[in-house]
Amino acid sequence: MGEPTGRGALRGQVLGVDSGGSGLRIAVARADDAEARPLALRTSHEPVRTGPEGIDADHLLAQLLPAAAELARETGVDGFTTVCVGAAGMASLGEELRTRLPGALASAFGVRRLALAADAVTAYAGALGQRAGAVLAAGTGVVALGTDLTTEGGWRRADGWGHLLGDCGGGAWIGRAGLEAALRAYDGRPGGSTALLARAEAVFGPVTELPGALYPRPDRPAVLASFTPEVARCATADDPVAAGILRAAADHLAGAAAAVCPPGAGRVVACSGGLFDMGEPLLAPLRTALAERLPDARLTAAAGSPLDGALALAAALDRDRLTLPTDRKLLQITRLAPG
């Protein structure tokens, strides 16, 4: 069966896309569902490539179009009136997506409205919906995003600079700090942790071979982040060095949240992303750090995922109820002429 042309698309179903380091997730929801709950879902575990021109639009479309066609058939529609694509790197690496996706999605599915969003924006929408506040989106990396919903205020963003220049307090940062403490212990230098050294050798083998195994890898941030659970375990077992690493990470995260959180009482800071799955070893020092920097703010868990946020943004745009700030880099809205 060929892909739907979209010429007879039924109004009322929207598509949300979440593209990140772990792959691509695509879901369909009814536009008139206030919670934009997914009706059907497809997942690809192949991350979209990034090349000299930025995010590879052909590679994304090669995964997105067949999956979206399957979702259209499964839910009984010819296409989708509105789509939101949230992608890691959209802000700085998304130019090819901005050029290619509108025409491709209009042709394949009759799309009339398209939102292209940074993954931090879909994380925000999934975590807080369309209310003012701040979101800490933290996994391998970390970015903080906040807004007061005014045109003048727009979006406030902090960090998200990658593991070489920033992402302070994220998974790669914590993992690197843990491995550095392990190597200090191996050398006999101050600040080392024999507990972390034991865990590093259990996970990676002899630490003398770690530089050669790590430095050539293109997925260094993910490898570094894979050691984060070991840091959390050592911190829980009362290793002072590991606990200190998590306190420092929490302080970095709180600083990023303070940089973007809009002023005023009753502010909300939501935590989104896999880093917070470690629970109290990180959340306890984060609450302490936030209480010092943002005493009037309340820390809360995210209400939903970035994919939930993409669906919510698509549904709001479809109903002309999108109130989050638009921005060419972070949240660009394109309205397409009927074919």
Side-chain angles (χ1 to χ4, degrees):
M1 182 181 294
E3 292 176 357
T5 64
R7 298 296 177 247
L10 296 177
R11 185 166 183 82
Q13 293 201 4
V14 298
L15 198 72
V17 181
D18 174 38
S19 175
S22 60
L24 200 68
R25 296 194 304 152
I26 307 155
V28 59
R30 289 191 58 83
D32 60 3
D33 180 0
E35 298 181 10
R37 289 164 292 196
L39 300 172
L41 173 70
R42 291 291 184 277
T43 300
S44 167
H45 296 292
E46 182 180 1
V48 176
R49 292 189 295 262
T50 299
E53 303 302 319
I55 301 170
D56 188 330
D58 285 334
H59 192 219
L60 186 146
L61 288 168
Q63 298 182 67
L64 171 58
L65 295 183
E70 290 178 5
L71 289 170
R73 288 191 290 270
E74 182 175 337
T75 54
V77 297
D78 282 347
F80 310 98
T81 54
T82 305
V83 175
C84 175
V85 177
M90 179 72 77
S92 56
L93 300 170
E95 199 59 37
E96 189 174 302
L97 298 187
R98 297 184 188 98
T99 300
R100 294 284 309 284
L101 261 59
L105 292 171
S107 175
F109 304 110
V111 174
R112 299 292 174 258
R113 300 180 184 187
L114 173 64
L116 296 178
D119 59 339
V121 172
T122 51
Y124 187 102
L128 290 179
Q130 297 199 80
R131 55 179 170 146
V135 169
L136 279 169
T140 298
V142 59
V143 62
L145 199 68
T147 181
D148 60 5
L149 300 182
T150 66
T151 302
E152 296 78 12
W155 291 105
R156 303 175 183 181
R157 178 183 171 180
D159 213 335
W161 297 117
H163 76 291
L164 292 178
L165 298 175
D167 285 354
C168 299
W173 187 96
I174 293 172
R176 180 192 175 280
L179 290 171
E180 183 181 339
L183 293 171
R184 284 200 189 104
Y186 180 85
D187 291 342
R189 290 179 288 144
S193 164
T194 55
L196 287 170
L197 174 59
R199 295 311 308 151
E201 292 185 325
V203 172
F204 296 108
V207 293
T208 53
E209 299 178 12
L210 185 58
L214 179 63
Y215 291 160
R217 293 187 62 150
D219 59 344
R220 282 191 306 274
V223 176
L224 291 170
S226 72
F227 195 62
T228 295
E230 305 300 335
V231 178
R233 290 187 187 99
C234 290
T236 303
D238 295 325
D239 179 70
V241 174
I245 290 170
L246 294 186
R247 284 195 302 272
D251 192 59
H252 282 303
L253 294 171
V260 303
C261 195
R267 293 172 290 179
V268 177
V269 177
C271 296
S272 175
L275 185 69
F276 300 107
D277 290 344
M278 76 170 67
E280 285 303 299
L282 178 63
L283 291 175
L286 179 57
R287 282 192 292 267
T288 299
L290 278 173
E292 295 174 355
R293 293 175 179 266
L294 294 171
D296 296 327
R298 176 171 58 90
L299 185 67
T300 184
S305 69
L307 180 61
D308 296 323
L311 286 171
L313 289 171
L317 178 59
D318 193 82
R319 303 193 309 271
D320 290 317
R321 294 180 181 175
L322 182 64
T323 58
L324 291 177
T326 56
D327 176 283
R328 186 178 183 278
K329 294 290 188 181
L330 293 175
L331 179 57
Q332 177 178 315
I333 306 302
T334 302
R335 289 175 169 81
L336 305 167

